[in-house]
Amino acid sequence: MSSFELQAENISKVFGRRLIFKDVDFSCKGNGIYGISGPNGSGKSTFLKIITGIISPTKGKVTHYFDGKLIESEDLHNFIGFVAPYVILYDEFTAVENIHFFSKIRGINFTQEKLDFLFQHFGLFDRKNDLVKGYSSGMKQRLKFIFALIHSPKILFFDEPTSNLDNSGKEKVYQTVKEESQNNIVIIASNEDSDLAICSSVLELQDFKNSKTDNK
Amino acid sequence: MIWKIVLFLLLAFVSVAGIAFPIVVKPEHWYEFPMIMGLGENAKIIFFHVPTAWLTVIAFFMSTVYSVKYLRNKDLVDDIKAHSAAQIGMVFCILATITGAVWAKFAWGSYWSWDPRQTSIFALLLIYGALFALRSAVEVEEKRAALSAVYSIIAFVTVPFFIFIMPRIMRGLHPGSADDTNAGTVVNFKMNGNMLLIFFLSLIGFTILYYWMWYVGYKSMLYKEKLNKQYH
Amino acid sequence: MSAYALFKKDLASELRTRYAINSLVMFIVVTISVILFSIGNEKISDFLSGGLFWVVIFFSAMSGLSRAFVSEEERGTTLTLQLIASPTTIFSGKLLFNLILVFAMNIVIAALYSTLFEAFVIKNVSLFLYAFILGNIGIAIASTLIASIIAKASSKGTLYPVLSFPILLPLMLTLIDLTKQAMDTTTFSSSYVELAILGCYDVVMIAASFMLFDFIWKD
């Protein structure tokens, strides 16, 4: 079975003069649900962006492997599904148009069945041909999940996945997470206890905040 | 310390020699310069104008080299070195433009005539200005360093188009360009021994001055950074 | 192809919202009008009209070509793009969009200009065409790269021409010279070097852009 592996070693990030975290190690392989927790401002989103390869760490190394082979950063994007409050979709297009454009740009194909299934699963089937401009924040959040899953990624990153969602929405998310985690890696960054409860292990980012000033 | 004294003496000698030594038709003493047709007394500006122009290009080249280094290692010290070189390059560029315009007034009659070399030095001035405008528009250190580095490199890539291609194609008044039959290549053939000596001494002196200014510049920026970082 | 898909996305977005096209057309009209008014009834030489032609093109480019990256940055969709494509794809797609835009814009400008300025008469049309095509490609490449730089900075509107002008200057000088020659002679012989310069500029710029874009795009 093909498997994805992520390794992050000695990750530190400094913004200007502020140290966010220092010497964080994190690794995962194959499948499972991993959690990253920490209060607001502890750098959860930053850490998630670093291990996804979106931003670079100040120190440390992040590597991704698929079937034992190293994946270069230019090829990484189709292995990854990313859901976060700060992911923005194009509101001048309809939901379906967004997904179509993204898939063409990714260079992947999907079946109409899969598209319909995902829209049904997240309760957006009736509104799939409406402009995203008219979507509520909860609907946008659910559309982001469709965006993250349509290309069958091997590793999923969810930053505050249940924000803006009602209870049925949250249930859908947990159900999706559990299904995906059978064969793929799911990483959740959150403060919510219910989100972290389904994780098999949780990385507490607060532990890595070294508030001693660097003396050189 | 010894270098500073050597530099001071060198530049003092060059300044005095460059300005005070008389130009006569038939030089007899060691401190006299020959007359060059078409230039006369104005030839003395060569001791100051050419080094500044030479150095502004060297500074730009250095800035680009450190920019490339920064993009490879992401070490912010390289960015500071590039920035220091650009600052001094800007100063020398302004000096070169002004001394060039003064020479142009005496030799060709007007301060500015869009001769290819004048256009090139003006373009370099615009590049420096753009670089500083870019730096002041980006707050985040690493982003600022990366963007300035990329811009320096792109600007450097356009420099050959100016410096080598333009003068060959376009007609100009500058000594040494396609049209000028009078002054020719002033440096090589018409300057006699002692003029050449003063010229090269000036070049060397200014180069050492540049290197020293660059060194002091980047070190002081480094220390300022370190001091800022200590007060969290 | 991924880059082509990105171009189609931008095109579809533009056709649907028409944010940029409207203001761009008006900008061209305004710029040409300003020049017409400042000239008044004076007769201008053909060389001068040739130079002014490229002035209009430059400022129109500055008005329209930054949208490719700035709109993504302002809406927050830069991250979305980073998640779906490699930097090379992004640059290729945006470059393709700007190429089409530059050609469309400049054909309109050339048409308007030749009708409104009687002094603008091209004798050697094929020379002008070669220069026009190579020049537009160069403008598109350089402008796209600089647009990606300023998208990450503040005061983007004023910074864009400031950064673009030095980079585009060799291109502009050569184009103005070639336009002069196209108005003057009807032979190609003296223009080969300049056309070669244009070609070199295009090749060098595109190579440098692809190599450097990664550093601009990735944080």
Side-chain angles (χ1 to χ4, degrees), chain C residues 21-37 56-57 59-60 63 105 108-113 116-117:
Chain C
I21 301 228
N22 287 333
S23 42
L24 196 51
V25 169
M26 275 321 294
F27 184 87
I28 295 174
V29 170
V30 164
T31 316
I32 296 185
S33 308
V34 165
I35 295 181
L36 279 172
F37 279 125
V56 176
I57 290 198
F59 283 112
S60 305
S63 170
M105 231 171 44
V108 168
I109 294 176
L112 274 175
Y113 206 82
L116 293 170
F117 288 81

Side-chain angles (χ1 to χ4, degrees), chain B residues 137 143 151 154 157 165 169, chain C residues 145 154 163 193 197 204 216 219:
Chain B
K143 206 66 207 164
Y151 191 74
I154 279 282
V157 158
I165 302 179
I169 310 250
Chain C
L145 186 71
S154 58
L163 291 190
V193 183
I197 294 178
V204 165
I216 302 171
D219 281 323

Side-chain angles (χ1 to χ4, degrees), chain A:
Chain A
M1 199 186 70
S2 48
S3 75
F4 192 95
E5 188 182 341
L6 167 85
Q7 271 179 21
E9 291 162 47
N10 281 344
I11 305 294
S12 310
K13 185 69 182 171
V14 175
F15 278 125
R17 285 169 235 158
R18 235 174 20 111
L19 174 76
I20 314 290
F21 41 72
K22 195 165 134 82
D23 292 327
V24 185
D25 292 317
F26 180 82
S27 64
C28 48
K29 188 179 163 117
N31 61 359
I33 312 176
Y34 301 82
I36 298 174
S37 77
N40 292 331
S42 55
K44 293 193 302 297
S45 302
T46 310
F47 186 71
L48 216 57
K49 287 185 194 172
I50 290 177
I51 59 178
T52 326
I54 294 169
I55 64 180
S56 327
T58 312
K59 284 206 189 85
K61 219 166 67 128
V62 182
T63 35
H64 304 86
Y65 302 94
F66 184 62
D67 276 346
K69 278 202 306 250
L70 181 70
I71 306 176
E72 298 290 342
S73 61
E74 307 93 62
D75 307 316
L76 194 52
H77 50 93
N78 282 342
F79 287 98
I80 291 177
F82 197 89
V83 174
Y86 40 85
V87 171
I88 315 280
L89 302 171
Y90 291 96
D91 59 10
E92 70 266 30
F93 295 134
T94 68
V96 172
E97 281 171 342
N98 264 283
I99 304 293
H100 268 290
F101 277 126
F102 292 153
S103 304
K104 285 240 164 61
I105 297 174
R106 277 188 193 276
I108 57 134
N109 283 320
F110 55 86
T111 59
Q112 188 61 31
E113 286 94 12
K114 176 147 192 186
L115 185 68
D116 289 341
F117 168 73
L118 281 172
F119 268 95
Q120 288 276 19
H121 185 76
F122 285 101
L124 289 176
F125 194 80
D126 303 330
R127 302 288 303 270
K128 67 176 180 171
N129 288 315
D130 290 346
L131 294 179
V132 173
K133 204 191 305 208
Y135 270 31
S136 69
S137 52
M139 292 165 74
K140 284 183 187 167
Q141 182 74 2
R142 285 181 270 154
L143 183 56
K144 289 179 200 176
F145 276 99
I146 301 178
F147 164 55
L149 292 169
I150 188 75
H151 55 290
S152 310
K154 294 282 167 220
I155 181 166
L156 290 162
F157 296 88
F158 295 155
D159 195 348
E160 311 279 356
T162 53
S163 63
N164 294 316
L165 292 180
D166 54 20
N167 282 328
S168 82
K170 283 188 188 173
E171 277 313 308
K172 271 281 143 60
V173 171
Y174 296 145
Q175 185 190 347
T176 309
V177 167
K178 288 188 184 127
E179 274 166 22
E180 288 293 325
S181 65
Q182 303 291 327
N183 296 323
N184 304 311
I185 303 171
V186 179
I187 299 177
I188 300 178
S190 180
N191 276 331
E192 299 263 327
D193 294 327
S194 54
D195 291 352
L196 297 171
I198 59 173
C199 303
S200 54
S201 65
V202 177
L203 176 74
E204 176 62 64
L205 264 184
Q206 271 286 78
D207 296 341
F208 294 91
K209 194 175 181 67
N210 188 349
S211 46
K212 292 196 292 264
T213 50
D214 277 83
N215 292 321
K216 281 236 158 79

Side-chain angles (χ1 to χ4, degrees), chain C residues 32-197:
Chain C
I32 296 185
S33 308
V34 165
I35 295 181
L36 279 172
F37 279 125
S38 359
I39 296 179
N41 282 323
E42 292 289 312
K43 277 235 163 283
I44 57 168
S45 73
D46 40 4
F47 290 167
L48 181 55
S49 73
L52 285 173
F53 174 67
W54 292 104
V55 168
V56 176
I57 290 198
F58 173 71
F59 283 112
S60 305
M62 292 298 98
S63 170
L65 296 181
S66 59
R67 178 222 163 269
F69 283 105
V70 170
S71 71
E72 307 281 1
E73 196 73 30
E74 283 178 345
R75 307 161 61 164
T77 47
T78 305
L79 173 61
T80 318
L81 288 178
Q82 284 175 323
L83 288 172
I84 63 179
S86 65
T88 312
T89 307
I90 303 284
F91 189 74
S92 312
K94 297 295 182 180
L95 178 58
L96 186 55
F97 181 81
N98 273 345
L99 262 172
I100 308 286
L101 186 58
V102 161
F103 272 99
M105 231 171 44
N106 290 353
I107 290 174
V108 168
I109 294 176
L112 274 175
Y113 206 82
S114 35
T115 37
L116 293 170
F117 288 81
E118 321 92 29
F120 191 71
V121 176
I122 309 280
K123 297 212 187 90
N124 190 348
V125 177
S126 50
L127 174 63
F128 182 74
L129 266 175
Y130 280 123
F132 188 74
I133 293 174
L134 288 174
N136 284 342
I137 294 175
I139 293 175
I141 300 171
S143 303
T144 308
L145 186 71
I146 305 290
S148 68
I149 293 180
I150 57 126
K152 306 263 177 187
S154 58
S155 59
K156 308 175 213 290
T158 35
L159 202 57
Y160 192 41
V162 168
L163 291 190
S164 300
F165 184 61
I167 309 296
L168 285 173
L169 190 55
L171 192 67
M172 301 259 98
L173 287 176
T174 314
L175 284 168
I176 293 175
D177 206 47
L178 276 171
T179 309
K180 252 190 238 176
Q181 291 177 18
M183 291 175 158
D184 245 356
T185 63
T186 44
T187 58
F188 257 78
S189 50
S190 43
S191 320
Y192 282 131
V193 183
E194 259 117 353
L195 285 175
I197 294 178

Side-chain angles (χ1 to χ4, degrees), chain B residues 123-190:
Chain B
L124 196 54
L125 202 58
L126 288 178
I127 291 175
Y128 277 124
L131 200 52
F132 289 117
L134 177 60
R135 286 193 80 97
S136 59
V138 186
E139 291 264 314
V140 180
E141 271 181 340
E142 290 97 353
K143 206 66 207 164
R144 181 173 62 206
L147 292 180
S148 335
V150 169
Y151 191 74
S152 294
I153 296 173
I154 279 282
F156 185 75
V157 158
T158 64
V159 159
F161 288 97
F162 281 119
I163 299 216
F164 296 117
I165 302 179
M166 297 281 134
R168 303 289 174 270
I169 310 250
M170 297 161 104
R171 291 167 288 130
L173 302 158
H174 223 105
S177 59
D179 220 35
D180 186 48
T181 45
N182 260 339
T185 37
V186 182
V187 179
N188 292 334
F189 298 113
K190 306 281 176 56

Side-chain angles (χ1 to χ4, degrees), chain B residues 33-46:
Chain B
F33 295 139
M35 178 78 106
I36 297 172
M37 285 311 295
L39 284 175
E41 278 284 317
N42 300 318
K44 286 180 185 165
I45 206 158
I46 208 174

